Amino acid sequence: MRIRVRREDEGHGGGRRPASRLRGWGGVSAMAAACAVTAAAVLLPLAHAAPEATRPAVVHQPAPIGAAPWTLTDTCQDPEASLRPSVVDGPTIERIRRAGKLVAGVDQNSFKWGYRNPVDGRLDGFDIALVKAIAKDILGDENAVIYRAVPTSQRIPALQDGRVDVVVRTMTINCKRLEEVAFSTAYFEAGQQVLAPKGSPITGYDPSLKGRRICTAAGSTAEAALKAQSYGAVPVSVPNQLDCLVRLQLGEVDGIITDNALAAGQAAQDPSVRLVGSPFTREFYGVAMNKGATDLVRRVNKVLENYRAGGDSSPWMQAYVTHLKPVLPGVAGPPAPKYRDG
């Protein structure tokens, strides 16, 4: 059965205006896209998560170190190095305990990372599992969480304004962001890659992009990459990553640049698209926190230390097998942590 859904765009005055219909695609994809294309400038409270069955997809694996033709320019040394883990309580941990809830900025539209289960509408995904582990460690209850939907472009402002305690939302660690927020050690490795319809003349992040409308999420490393080297592409920026998939399905753009880990989930949602070329960056996801919350950074790093421990039986590997392995096979384990003093 093919499902058709109506896309709606938010107006600035709070009203809605109908947009064109999506072409038919799978049920999980349709429900995700229907909630994706909104002017998500505010943070919305979300429900708790629940698991969902998945189906596999074939994806390209990250390129080896040194093989990428383009990389983000980082001026700091070892941006993935974070504060050493500690269980010592500090002012941020004490404030979270007094509140009785961890406020987490997450995605609700990234299939397999942070998304709404189409069966019961609850949140699920690899990032959500990590949020639960952090809440369990600090508050003794994995469900002691207030989830807030944060658009890509609002991840840093949400932390700076104190609207969330952590952002766990496939957020790449880099030097520019370290000027504004703090990061945990890396919990996943990914790379930027191009997603295009099957049969498209686009062959990857290369001159085949010339004249093509290429979509990226505002504030993402993909947007920065396209600004640095466009290959003659016509950039299209949207608030949330899944908005790009919707626009691709509507024929409003010709391709997408995003993390291959996210793109693998999108390709699983819509079998008419595929990853092309090879990853052209090597990037690491981290938990983002307020720059002054050093006690929380150390505590999250302690959680991650325990989360990685145990090899194939580790909580990290269990979450990978449950959420990501069907769409992103071949990942041997988490990246090794890097630490710094001070």
Side-chain angles (χ1 to χ4, degrees), residues 91 93-101 139:
I93 298 293
E94 291 173 356
R95 177 184 57 75
I96 292 170
R97 285 195 174 137
R98 286 196 302 271
K101 297 283 187 180
L139 296 166

Side-chain angles (χ1 to χ4, degrees), residues 190-204:
Q192 295 294 314
Q193 198 166 348
V194 179
L195 189 72
K198 291 178 179 177
S200 167
I202 295 173
T203 57

Side-chain angles (χ1 to χ4, degrees), residues 1-80:
M1 179 179 68
R2 298 170 70 84
I3 298 175
R4 298 174 65 88
V5 299
R6 181 179 298 277
R7 189 186 74 174
E8 292 184 338
D9 292 336
E10 295 283 356
H12 292 292
R16 293 177 182 265
R17 56 181 176 84
S20 55
R21 288 183 178 270
L22 298 176
R23 55 188 170 85
W25 49 306
V28 172
S29 172
M31 294 189 69
C35 65
V37 185
T38 61
V42 297
L43 306 185
L44 305 175
L46 303 175
H48 292 298
E52 183 208 11
T54 64
R55 56 187 174 87
V58 178
V59 298
H60 296 279
Q61 295 305 307
I65 300 173
W70 183 92
T71 56
L72 288 169
T73 300
D74 275 348
T75 56
C76 57
Q77 294 181 344
D78 272 340
E80 293 85 30

Side-chain angles (χ1 to χ4, degrees), residues 203-241:
T203 57
Y205 185 66
D206 56 35
S208 68
L209 297 180
K210 185 175 181 179
R212 308 290 176 184
R213 299 161 299 176
I214 303 301
C215 189
T216 62
S220 66
T221 50
E223 183 184 51
L226 199 60
K227 286 180 179 178
Q229 173 58 276
S230 71
Y231 287 109
V234 179
V236 177
S237 180
V238 297
N240 281 302
Q241 183 54 52

